[in-house]
Amino acid sequence: MLNRRIRLLLLAPVMAGAFIAAPASLAWGAAAAAPAATCSISGVFPNGKVHLSGGGFTPGPAFLSSPTAAGRSFTIGADGGFQMLNVDNAQYTVSQGNERTECSGFKGG
């Protein structure tokens, strides 16, 4: 009987710590699992232009920039995605606040 009481006294703080730590670890895991924004460039069309598309962004204002093409403001849709047709063949970055997402698929031209 005494052994059982000692075991309970020793295990109680450990069990309580597990219940306290579990919500924190779940919250951290959920944040880590949030989808990352992506952007990609299609192949170059005969007219020398490309299509851009992206997803996983926060809906609202964004800015498209490039070292060699004109940048511009645009709006990310409610679904977190966007498409831009017939833009110059260049390397692009989508910016929202302090977040920068480089578009993959640029093949130079």
Side-chain angles (χ1 to χ4, degrees):
M1 188 73 146
L2 186 58
N3 256 351
R4 193 175 288 169
R5 282 189 189 144
I6 291 172
R7 253 187 277 157
L8 285 174
L9 286 173
L10 292 175
L11 288 177
V14 172
M15 295 300 290
F19 287 118
I20 292 169
S25 66
L26 288 173
W28 180 81
T38 60
C39 174
S40 60
I41 300 169
S42 69
V44 181
F45 293 96
N47 65 358
K49 303 287 185 171
V50 299
H51 294 337
L52 296 178
S53 61
F57 290 90
T58 301
F63 188 78
L64 181 69
S65 60
S66 170
T68 59
R72 68 182 201 206
S73 295
F74 69 103
T75 302
I76 302 288
D79 64 354
F82 73 92
Q83 289 188 4
M84 290 187 186
L85 308 178
N86 294 317
V87 297
D88 290 334
N89 181 19
Q91 187 172 2
Y92 289 98
T93 301
V94 176
S95 303
Q96 279 190 303
N98 292 328
E99 298 293 321
R100 310 263 182 276
T101 303
E102 290 196 29
C103 299
S104 63
F106 176 64
K107 303 276 193 271

